[in-house]
Amino acid sequence: MSNVEHDSAVRRCGSGPEGHEPAGHEVEVLTPRDVPLGGPRAMRVRRTLPQRARSFVGAWCFVDHYGPDDVTLRGGMDLPPHPHTGLQTVTWLFEGEVEHRDSLGSHAYVRPGELNLMTSGHGICHSEVSTARTTILHGVQLWVALPDEHRGTARDFVRYVPPTVRRDGAAIRVFLGSLVNSVSTVATFTPLLGAELILDAGACLTLDVDLAFEHGLLVDDGDIELEGTVLHPGELGYLRPGIATLKLRNVSLTRARIVLLGGPPFEEEIVMWWNFVSRNHDDIVRAREQWAEGSERFGAVQGYAGERLPAPELPNATLAPRRNPPRS
């Protein structure tokens, strides 16, 4: 339930006349589109990145947001073995449990509050299946583009459980990078920030952040005022670099949950198609052919009960590179 006009929440943490904040930095609001996630049960997700207006937030190049879904009604997640190149996948759950298997030999159960980061590098494949213990499935799937010098790196898989830090009515878990004196132990190929924040009703939070970073704030639940702009569930608010502090306010009657992403602007162009990130059309064509041929480039997933996911047909056109609009 929204409380955008609820005066008591505004007065609680306002610093201007009558409890209102002074005007902040300009926030670009990105809205998601509803898309089917590949696989026989075609789970629906809300995709915020990439889109025409923006391809990256730092090196973050893909944001899928799903749930809360009752798996007895919607079927849950069942993604057969599928390939990746040139990226890292970040799985972060709010509710539920997902079984992960990959061609590195990793077998892990993804649970709320636990980071699972997989590096594809030159090539990997994996499967993701919600478990029988799952009633509600709810979370985000994020991708990070690897810089050109590292996009052929070796496969890897890391699990990390960040501590919870309390500050000004908020519970904060930093799964990548650093924030509020909490530092993730997980190494990345570009500087990154990734954190879950749960704000009490009416809470107001000021965060010191890196001036060189651009930031994206994805709202999962509740209404959040970011630098004077109110963001609703499913929306992502984008802020350009040059900001030393972020000012957040939960203007809901209940708690709100957000995912904060950041990093220095990613200046490279990428070509992204299906599950591949590369630098040109020919690389994508080659990766698709190698997956179709069962190349050792991607290896094989052991223990998944079913066939691997076939690649879709390429478009009858040259794949165009993606990059963010020029900075003014």
Side-chain angles (χ1 to χ4, degrees):
M1 182 176 182
S2 173
N3 187 33
V4 175
E5 293 85 18
H6 197 272
D7 284 345
S8 64
V10 174
R11 289 195 188 102
R12 173 175 171 177
C13 52
S15 60
E18 299 182 0
H20 293 283
E21 292 282 357
H25 300 275
E26 181 179 356
V27 177
E28 178 183 342
V29 180
L30 304 179
T31 57
R33 63 190 186 279
D34 191 48
V35 299
L37 200 62
R41 288 193 271 183
M43 173 182 168
R44 308 294 295 189
V45 300
R46 299 175 293 279
R47 183 160 297 163
T48 313
L49 282 181
Q51 56 177 270
R52 189 179 301 275
R54 184 154 301 280
S55 295
F56 305 100
V57 175
W60 300 98
C61 63
F62 183 94
V63 174
D64 270 3
H65 179 206
Y66 51 89
D69 287 339
D70 184 336
V71 301
T72 63
L73 301 175
R74 298 284 292 270
M77 180 183 292
D78 186 357
L79 286 175
H82 57 280
H84 289 290
T85 64
L87 58 86
Q88 293 178 297
T89 63
V90 171
T91 304
W92 184 262
L93 290 180
F94 306 134
E95 294 179 84
E97 182 181 65
V98 171
E99 184 177 21
H100 165 99
R101 297 177 185 268
D102 64 40
S103 54
L104 186 66
S106 310
H107 181 207
Y109 290 92
V110 186
R111 299 183 176 100
E114 302 177 359
L115 168 72
N116 285 261
L117 182 144
M118 184 183 74
T119 301
S120 67
H122 182 62
I124 199 171
C125 63
H126 71 138
S127 63
E128 298 164 284
V129 181
S130 50
T131 68
R133 292 185 289 269
T134 297
T135 303
I136 301 296
L137 189 61
H138 187 191
V140 290
Q141 180 72 48
L142 314 168
W143 291 0
V144 177
L146 292 173
D148 192 52
E149 63 180 312
H150 295 296
R151 65 187 177 93
T153 192
R155 306 166 187 165
D156 195 21
F157 181 82
V158 175
R159 177 179 172 273
Y160 172 64
V161 182
T164 300
V165 176
R166 295 288 310 185
R167 168 158 315 175
D168 298 334
I172 303 169
R173 293 187 181 99
V174 181
F175 51 84
L176 288 176
S178 63
L179 187 72
V180 293
N181 297 321
S182 182
V183 181
S184 170
T185 61
V186 178
T188 58
F189 292 90
T190 57
L192 291 173
L193 170 62
E196 177 194 83
L197 294 82
I198 299 176
L199 283 73
D200 296 340
C204 185
L205 186 63
T206 298
L207 299 170
D208 294 330
V209 293
D210 193 321
L211 273 168
F213 280 22
E214 52 189 5
H215 292 89
L217 191 149
L218 176 69
V219 180
D220 171 62
D221 189 30
D223 294 312
I224 292 290
E225 185 181 87
L226 170 64
E227 298 293 331
T229 297
V230 176
L231 302 170
H232 307 292
E235 294 180 335
L236 186 147
Y238 169 81
L239 284 166
R240 294 179 179 274
I243 298 171
T245 58
L246 295 181
K247 297 178 183 178
L248 313 176
R249 185 202 313 271
N250 179 6
V251 293
S252 308
L253 289 173
T254 57
R255 74 172 196 173
R257 174 162 40 211
I258 60 180
V259 175
L260 178 60
L261 306 174
F266 192 77
E267 303 291 0
E268 299 179 26
E269 288 187 346
I270 66 170
V271 176
M272 186 163 69
W273 176 81
W274 194 39
N275 300 313
F276 304 135
V277 170
S278 192
R279 294 305 184 274
N280 59 64
H281 174 89
D282 291 344
D283 283 350
I284 298 291
V285 172
R286 188 177 306 111
R288 185 195 179 280
E289 290 174 348
Q290 290 172 327
W291 174 247
E293 295 166 354
S295 166
E296 279 302 309
R297 174 177 183 177
F298 300 103
V301 173
Q302 303 297 323
Y304 177 82
E307 299 297 320
R308 64 187 197 147
L309 193 66
E313 293 297 323
L314 281 159
N316 189 26
T318 300
L319 297 167
R322 298 176 179 270
R323 69 176 305 157
N324 276 342
R327 284 183 282 162
S328 57

